[in-house]
Amino acid sequence: QVQLVESGGGSVQAGGSLRLSCAGSGYTDNNYCIGWFRQDPGKEERDWVALVVKNGDPEYADSVKGRFTISQDNAKNTVYLEMNSLKPDDTAKYYCAARGVSAPRCSNFWKWYNYWGQGTQVTVSS
C-alpha cells in the first residue's frame, strides 16, 4: 500500500517562499506519477498545481509556472514543491498524490490519482 506524507506547509507573507515535501513509501510499480494539488475550504475539487514522473518532463499549471518548481529525489522517494513569490491566492491545503504507471504519461485530473497524502496547509498573507 502506497503511503504519502506531506510536510513543509506554514504561514508566510506575500512574496515569500516555502518548500513542501512528499515522502512516499510502499511503492511497488516501476514508475509513478506524482502530482501536487491544492484545495480551497468548502470545495470538493482539488486544483492541479504540478506533476512529475521519472523520465518525463515536469508540468505546471499556468497559475504557478515560473514561481513553483517540482523535483524528485528517487533515492529518498521524496518529491518536493519549491514555491517562490507566493501570493495570497496560493493559500490552500496542498496535497500530493500518486498513481503507478507503465509509461511516463500522467494526468492532471485529481480523480485519476489513487493515492493521497493527508495534506499540508499553506497560508499566504498580504
Side-chain angles (χ1 to χ4, degrees), residues 93-111:
K93 192 164 188 179
Y94 283 69
Y95 296 87
C96 66
R99 176 167 174 153
V101 292
S102 56
R105 289 190 298 272
C106 309
S107 170
N108 60 14
F109 181 48
W110 67 286
K111 288 190 175 182

Side-chain angles (χ1 to χ4, degrees), residues 25-52:
S25 62
Y27 291 132
T28 57
D29 288 306
N30 288 331
N31 202 354
Y32 284 82
C33 290
I34 307 294
W36 282 99
F37 293 81
R38 59 191 183 188
Q39 185 177 34
D40 291 329
K43 279 186 60 177
E44 178 192 3
E45 297 81 11
R46 296 181 178 181
D47 297 324
W48 171 62
V49 175
L51 64 85
V52 68

Side-chain angles (χ1 to χ4, degrees), residues 2 6 11 17 24 31 42-43 51 53 59 75 81 83 85 88 94-96 101 105 115 117 120 124:
V2 173
E6 302 98 334
S11 297
S17 299
N31 202 354
K43 279 186 60 177
L51 64 85
V53 62
E59 297 178 33
L81 185 68
M83 306 187 296
S85 302
Y94 283 69
Y95 296 87
C96 66
V101 292
R105 289 190 298 272
Y115 300 106
T120 185
V124 184

Side-chain angles (χ1 to χ4, degrees), residues 15-95:
S17 299
L18 284 173
R19 188 177 81 155
L20 306 183
S21 299
C22 173
S25 62
Y27 291 132
T28 57
D29 288 306
N30 288 331
N31 202 354
Y32 284 82
C33 290
I34 307 294
W36 282 99
F37 293 81
R38 59 191 183 188
Q39 185 177 34
D40 291 329
K43 279 186 60 177
E44 178 192 3
E45 297 81 11
R46 296 181 178 181
D47 297 324
W48 171 62
V49 175
L51 64 85
V52 68
V53 62
K54 192 167 55 177
N55 299 325
D57 295 324
E59 297 178 33
Y60 300 92
D62 287 343
S63 59
V64 306
K65 203 172 291 184
R67 300 188 297 123
F68 291 11
T69 302
I70 190 171
S71 61
Q72 56 184 349
D73 184 334
N74 292 322
K76 295 182 179 179
N77 283 337
T78 300
V79 172
Y80 304 97
L81 185 68
E82 184 76 35
M83 306 187 296
N84 298 315
S85 302
L86 282 161
K87 305 174 182 179
D89 283 349
D90 295 319
T91 295
K93 192 164 188 179
Y94 283 69
Y95 296 87

